Amino acid sequence: RLFLHYDRIMTPLHLSLKLDRTYMESDIENYIIRQRIVLNDVAFIVRKVFPNNLRGMKSPSGPTHPANKEMSIFNLIDFVDKNQQEFTTLNTVLQKNRSWLLLLRNARDAIVHYKSKVIIFETEPNLSFAVIDAAGTEKVENMPDGSQRIIMTEIAEFINQQTLSLWNFINVDLKNWLEGYIVEKNFVYKKIGGGMRMECRGISLFRALNKIKDEDIG
């Protein structure tokens, strides 16, 4: 679903097609929310490889079926940061990715909890957007003429960079950490299945824009 949102946003921008701004704004909001869901799923999976007797780490929670419970990526970040001696390498990975994760969290929380919405601006040479809140407290910048304007972000740059950051986080940083952690803890494991590469709309464009080759995909 994340790559379907990526495709709906990036394809018309890449091909310079006429945009329906109503759908584009909604798609950006949905992309931001969906990416946070994926990150929380990642936190859930990472928690599963921790020792059973590890204390202090919050378990997935929520008033729902146990299989549907969710764990926040930021609960994981905070716990690992407080237990750096046990998770030195993982803490390095999480701190390395902290800036774009915080950017995503702030945007997602504003949309989900604080009545904010994405608004597109027809800036040159590329379209931009800002997350506008109900109270008008979004960040602004001073202009040479003494006026102020809302700080905007180029749409294509934001969507592609956030997706690339997520791809590197999962397929490079966390993959390398997990392989080392398995060796460090002497885990017994075996390979099951294979050929799990995902294909759907948006992935081909993402790979082309970011020059990702087959050998780069674990």
Side-chain angles (χ1 to χ4, degrees):
R1 288 185 181 272
L2 186 67
F3 269 101
L4 289 176
H5 291 311
Y6 179 94
D7 180 66
R8 280 168 57 103
I9 297 167
M10 292 295 296
T11 296
L13 293 174
H14 180 64
L15 298 177
S16 299
L17 301 177
K18 184 178 179 180
L19 300 178
D20 186 323
R21 287 178 47 166
T22 302
Y23 290 109
M24 178 69 72
E25 290 166 343
S26 178
D27 282 336
I28 294 171
E29 292 179 359
N30 287 329
Y31 172 91
I32 291 169
I33 294 168
R34 178 58 58 179
Q35 190 181 26
R36 178 60 188 275
I37 292 171
V38 172
L39 285 165
N40 287 351
D41 287 343
V42 169
F44 183 95
I45 294 169
V46 171
R47 175 67 178 87
K48 290 294 185 180
V49 304
F50 287 174
N52 291 330
N53 63 351
L54 191 66
R55 303 303 179 190
M57 176 77 245
K58 287 185 177 181
S59 296
S61 60
T64 183
H65 189 284
N68 292 335
K69 290 184 178 181
E70 174 178 70
M71 180 178 160
S72 170
I73 185 71
F74 287 95
N75 285 344
L76 176 68
I77 291 173
D78 291 343
F79 175 80
V80 170
D81 190 45
K82 292 175 182 177
N83 295 271
Q84 295 184 31
Q85 186 172 357
E86 176 73 18
F87 302 105
T88 302
T89 306
L90 180 57
N91 186 61
T92 299
V93 166
L94 294 174
Q95 295 305 320
K96 171 188 173 184
N97 289 275
R98 190 177 184 89
S99 60
W100 70 269
L101 290 170
L102 285 173
L103 180 66
L104 174 71
R105 181 179 70 175
N106 293 339
R108 179 264 181 191
D109 287 353
I111 293 167
V112 172
H113 298 301
Y114 305 122
K115 301 182 290 186
S116 299
K117 62 181 180 180
V118 166
I119 299 294
I120 291 177
F121 297 89
E122 295 182 3
T123 50
E124 295 292 343
N126 301 306
L127 291 179
S128 300
F129 79 98
V131 180
I132 307 297
D133 60 44
T137 55
E138 54 274 343
K139 294 181 179 179
V140 297
E141 59 184 348
N142 295 320
M143 303 301 293
D145 62 2
S147 63
Q148 293 182 324
R149 75 171 184 180
I150 296 169
I151 294 178
M152 294 170 283
T153 303
E154 185 180 318
I155 297 172
E157 179 182 355
F158 173 83
I159 297 296
N160 188 67
Q161 186 57 52
Q162 285 292 112
T163 309
L164 181 61
S165 295
L166 177 65
W167 191 93
N168 286 327
F169 182 51
I170 295 174
N171 291 281
V172 180
D173 295 341
L174 283 178
K175 175 178 176 289
N176 291 339
W177 164 76
L178 182 57
E179 289 175 346
Y181 189 70
I182 288 172
V183 173
E184 176 189 339
K185 299 299 181 182
N186 295 314
F187 287 166
V188 176
Y189 68 96
K190 63 179 179 179
K191 182 178 179 180
I192 57 173
M196 300 300 290
R197 182 181 301 172
M198 181 179 67
E199 295 290 346
C200 72
R201 292 179 63 90
I203 292 180
S204 295
L205 176 59
F206 170 75
R207 291 180 61 183
L209 290 177
N210 296 288
K211 299 180 173 57
I212 296 173
K213 302 176 183 178
D214 286 345
E215 54 266 32
D216 298 325
I217 303 176

